[in-house]
Amino acid sequence: MLGIQQTDAGMPDPGIYFQWGDFLIQFGNLVVIATMVVLFILALVIPFPGRRSRK
Amino acid sequence: MTVDHEPVSTADGGEPRFSTWTGKARGWALRRLPPDKLLPEGQPSYVSSWIYVFGMGAVAALVYIIGSGIVLALNGPTWFHVSSLGRFINSTHLWSVELFFMFMVIHLWGKFWMAAWRGGRVLTWITGMLAFVVSIVTAFTGYLLQTNFDSQWIAFQAKDALNAVGIGAWFNVADLGQILMWHITLLPLAVAVVVALHVVLVRMHGVVPPLEAAASDAQLSSATPNPATESEHRK
Ligand code: HEM
């Protein structure tokens, strides 16, 4: 499209934060960490599709 | 005329000895990484778990990062900050970095909890750790290239840390030209070299047996021991 979009010139979004006592985390960072933990657990429990059986 | 540098068989009929440095280097490389170990056709059965996929997941993401990065670099910011296709490629460059780091961290957790540095694999672990550190610096320089308020904020915060450790004059986050060059040449090259070494080391040593594998396991006892890396077990 023509020209730089308005959002580029604007201030960044302040973001969403969660806080439990001293512990403060930004929403996006929490999503990334939670996704990694979930993927890690799934990788351990989901059986790997078997091909030819091996000795 | 005779050829001087034919390999000489050892008296016990073992491996040939080479007399030139090229021959010695070839002998060393063939001993440490014979072609069937470099590109094996099969893996021990314990490798059939999703946890072993994340290393290659990180490699795949890295390939896309470098490919899209080349496209961005060749077209320049007047394309990737403005046109819709440019913005799209710019976005996929960022999102593949997100995937790269997630895969790398899951890979790291997996290798940590299977103590994958066992059996002479310490250099594999160390090159992995180096890949992690160099990737973080590369991503950092990438965030500085957004040329928006976010990147300005990141640079403003980072300069104090870099000055405090005394490298701010050489690695100057306020010098966009310098940071661009780090991001598109030296750092990606460093990541690629470290990752290549890391993967070659994995191939040299073979995949580490699981912690619970008993020394009597058939797959381990049928392995031919490698004198160069004793306590090695492979199929
Ligand atoms: C740039 C990021 C990285 C890439 C592309 C990468 C790639 C790989 C690949 C393809 C493998 C073989 C397949 C597998 O087991 O997943 C592997 C193995 C390994 N990685 Fe990484 N890796 C990276 C980062 C790391 C990090 C951060 C560590 C830990 C500090 C690490 C430690 C290891 C170890 C110890 C092995 C050997 C496992 C074995 O022998 O069974 N890697 N890596």
Side-chain angles (χ1 to χ4, degrees):
Chain A
M1 302 296 281
L2 296 174
I4 294 171
Q5 283 176 15
Q6 185 59 44
T7 48
D8 277 359
M11 291 297 286
D13 194 286
I16 301 165
Y17 286 83
F18 298 109
Q19 185 157 23
W20 294 273
D22 284 339
F23 183 74
L24 175 73
I25 192 163
Q26 193 260 333
F27 178 59
N29 290 336
L30 185 65
V31 168
V32 168
I33 295 169
T35 308
M36 291 190 301
V37 172
V38 168
L39 278 178
F40 181 72
I41 293 166
L42 289 180
L44 297 185
V45 297
I46 294 181
F48 194 76
R51 286 159 299 165
R52 294 161 287 140
S53 61
R54 295 198 183 286
K55 295 153 270 173
Chain B
M1 199 181 146
T2 55
V3 179
D4 274 335
H5 300 299
E6 278 296 295
V8 184
S9 289
T10 47
D12 57 4
E15 289 177 6
R17 274 187 288 107
F18 297 94
S19 54
T20 61
W21 71 265
T22 44
K24 281 179 185 147
R26 176 157 48 92
W28 180 85
L30 283 173
R31 242 179 297 117
R32 299 302 297 263
L33 193 60
D36 56 329
K37 266 201 207 172
L38 178 63
L39 297 170
E41 283 196 279
Q43 288 292 340
S45 60
Y46 52 77
V47 179
S48 61
S49 154
W50 283 107
I51 198 65
Y52 290 96
V53 174
F54 288 93
M56 268 305 152
V59 170
L62 183 63
V63 168
Y64 185 83
I65 293 168
I66 292 179
S68 56
I70 290 172
V71 173
L72 294 175
L74 291 178
N75 288 288
T78 54
W79 175 73
F80 65 72
H81 275 168
V82 176
S83 76
S84 51
L85 179 63
R87 286 164 150 262
F88 176 73
I89 302 293
N90 196 164
S91 300
T92 61
H93 185 69
L94 169 69
W95 283 105
S96 49
V97 171
E98 301 277 344
L99 282 180
F100 172 70
F101 274 95
M102 287 199 260
F103 291 160
M104 177 165 35
V105 168
I106 296 167
H107 174 70
L108 191 162
W109 289 344
K111 298 308 160 190
F112 178 77
W113 275 300
M114 64 176 91
W117 51 78
R118 284 171 295 139
R121 291 174 179 80
V122 66
L123 266 181
T124 316
W125 179 264
I126 289 172
T127 49
M129 215 192 64
L130 264 178
F132 190 42
V133 172
V134 180
S135 304
I136 290 173
V137 182
T138 313
F140 168 65
T141 57
Y143 287 117
L144 291 173
L145 296 181
Q146 297 171 100
T147 52
N148 58 14
F149 284 119
D150 268 352
S151 57
Q152 198 176 34
W153 175 255
I154 295 165
F156 189 84
Q157 299 300 315
K159 74 178 189 337
D160 293 335
L162 294 165
N163 289 337
V165 294
I167 59 170
W170 296 279
F171 189 84
N172 181 359
V173 287
D175 183 343
L176 188 68
Q178 188 198 35
I179 295 302
L180 174 68
M181 288 305 150
W182 276 105
H183 185 73
I184 68 174
T185 57
L186 293 176
L187 289 169
L189 199 68
V191 175
V193 168
V194 173
V195 167
L197 254 174
H198 183 70
V199 175
V200 165
L201 280 163
V202 175
R203 292 271 50 94
M204 278 168 63
H205 293 282
V207 179
V208 74
L211 282 165
E212 59 271 25
S216 59
D217 274 10
Q219 287 190 349
L220 304 188
S221 52
S222 67
T224 35
N226 180 345
T229 49
E230 46 154 7
S231 76
E232 278 296 307
H233 306 288
R234 76 177 60 74
K235 200 178 123 193

